[in-house]
């Protein structure tokens, strides 16, 4: 029996979430070399020095590991967006920065590693749970900025908030979804400024 | 020697553009059954009853045939957009109809036939000439509508016309490009109205 399994069984040693993190870190490394699609859980377990049964103790499938990696990537993108709007008071400026940061971070993190991009692709195509949650959080952030702008009189209030939010989200969506983003790389320099300016004109009272 | 080749050689019979159309019609039929990617010019020539040399007399490559098929498809989409805005005077209403018609026609014509979609895919991915020309014409149509709206005082004039046009084009682009459109099918009902309304709010003086 592997030392770590023995420790877990005995109730000592690293907590389950630490082992999960360890497996995810090793799997990220492995997938980035050999690709996500072609790797099986057996390959992965072997390569990272765990038994297949041990990996299955913590993850029910390869997709479950992929979902953690995908979630980590999306969390990094969200962190960068967060950082970009932090301390900004003006809703218009917040929106501009949100467009810029989300497009730039998506491009960098989805495409930094061609092999890991396979995970982003599967996640987006199969609508994995972390993707749905991420999209909902981004939509909420947009709605919050719109509400703020309405409250302080910077943005118009005639359009129903839901409608305005959905429309702005649709404008940004092609740059958040990696499957679509790959076909917009030639516009990536100009798109955030052009689109956020258009959106801000649409929000003027 | 094939009768048609004999006729061409003798300077009688159908004009070259008629034979090209004939080859394109037969090729469209063939590709829609067997797929564009897997078919070679030899397969195609054999299936439509011409010699390979005869096909090469009229088309320098399989892509050249694909480009004609692609061009025909784009012409149909443009025809539908044309029809939708015909006789409409108000620039705002023109823009709404252009969004609606282009999204609906693209969806119908790109996806009507899974095997022919391979041509649209190659065309969009490899930026075939008919695609570039189509995109430029659509961008010009948008610019014309914007100019019209400026002239009659319906649209704002502060934003440089080029900038406004490019931004509106970027909003519409994910629905014109088949590679991107396939990932927006769940939004296809709501997108034209939501996005054209947002764009029109952005254009208000």
């Amino acid at each position: 029996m592997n030392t770590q399994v023995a420790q877990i069984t005995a109730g000592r040693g690293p907590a389950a979430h630490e082992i999960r993190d360890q497996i995810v870190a090793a799997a990220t490394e492995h997938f980035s070399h050999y690709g996500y699609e072609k790797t099986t859980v057996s390959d992965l377990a072997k390569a990272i020095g765990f038994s297949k049964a041990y990996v299955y103790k913590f993850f029910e499938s390869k997709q479950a590991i992929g979902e953690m990696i995908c979630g980590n990537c999306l969390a990094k993108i969200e962190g960068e967006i967060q950082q970009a709007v932090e301390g900004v008071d003006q809703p218009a400026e917040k929106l501009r920065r949100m467009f810029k940061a989300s497009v730039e971070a998506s491009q960098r993190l989805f495409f930094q590693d061609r092999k890991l991009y396979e995970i982003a692709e599967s996640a987006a195509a199969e609508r994995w749970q972390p993707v749905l949650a991420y999209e909902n959080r981004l939509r909420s952030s947009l709605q919050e900025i719109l509400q703020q702008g309405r409250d302080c009189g910077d943005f118009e209030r005639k359009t129903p908030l839901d409608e305005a939010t959905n429309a702005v989200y649709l404008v940004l969506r092609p740059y958040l979804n990696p499957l679509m983003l790959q076909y917009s790389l030639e516009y990536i320099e100009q798109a955030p400024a052009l689109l956020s300016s258009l959106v801000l004109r649409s929000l003027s009272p």
Side-chain angles (χ1 to χ4, degrees), chain A:
Chain A
M1 194 187 277
N2 176 305
T3 325
Q4 276 176 317
V5 180
Q7 285 175 335
I8 295 274
T9 313
R12 292 177 289 109
H17 75 88
E18 285 171 341
I19 309 207
R20 287 173 66 91
D21 287 349
Q22 227 177 78
I23 294 176
V24 166
T28 306
E29 184 68 23
H30 185 76
F31 290 146
S32 86
H33 279 97
Y34 303 97
Y36 172 75
E37 287 305 334
K38 277 192 262 170
T39 304
T40 66
V41 173
S42 299
D43 298 337
L44 178 66
K46 207 169 177 181
I48 64 184
F50 292 144
S51 74
K52 189 170 150 186
Y54 186 66
V55 172
Y56 274 121
K57 247 181 129 71
F58 296 95
F59 292 96
E60 63 176 10
S61 62
K62 183 174 78 165
Q63 181 175 322
I65 303 175
E67 286 191 3
M68 282 278 282
I69 296 174
C70 163
N72 289 344
C73 174
L74 296 176
K76 274 187 211 159
I77 296 176
E78 270 182 284
E80 292 197 20
I81 299 173
Q82 194 60 41
Q83 214 177 351
V85 302
E86 218 161 57
V88 179
D89 287 329
Q90 266 212 327
E93 183 58 21
K94 256 193 195 170
L95 201 105
R96 269 190 208 290
R97 293 198 185 193
M98 188 169 165
F99 267 63
K100 192 167 185 291
S102 60
V103 174
E104 288 177 359
S106 300
Q107 180 194 18
R108 194 155 12 80
L109 289 161
F110 288 141
F111 300 112
Q112 67 179 352
D113 189 321
R114 226 36 228 188
K115 292 261 162 93
L116 284 180
Y117 174 70
E118 285 180 7
I119 299 179
E121 254 183 339
S122 298
E126 295 157 20
R127 320 283 298 127
W128 290 0
Q129 199 282 326
V131 174
L132 300 177
Y134 166 76
E135 289 175 357
N136 282 335
R137 284 193 303 274
L138 278 199
R139 196 193 297 254
S140 299
S141 301
L142 280 175
Q143 180 150 335
E144 224 169 85
I145 298 177
L146 261 54
Q147 182 63 62
Q148 249 174 17
R150 285 171 179 224
D151 290 346
C152 69
D154 286 359
F155 295 164
E156 59 99 6
R157 290 174 223 188
K158 271 184 296 179
T159 316
L161 182 62
D162 250 17
E163 183 192 329
T165 307
N166 285 339
V168 175
Y169 178 73
L170 273 189
V171 171
L172 188 54
R173 183 176 167 268
Y175 301 86
L176 302 175
N177 179 312
L179 295 168
M180 298 177 81
L181 182 59
Q182 66 182 323
Y183 301 116
S184 293
L185 296 178
E186 63 180 303
Y187 294 99
I188 224 155
E189 288 291 324
Q190 33 170 173
L194 275 177
L195 291 174
S196 59
S197 297
L198 179 144
V199 164
L200 287 172
R201 289 195 294 279
S202 84
L203 295 172
S204 79

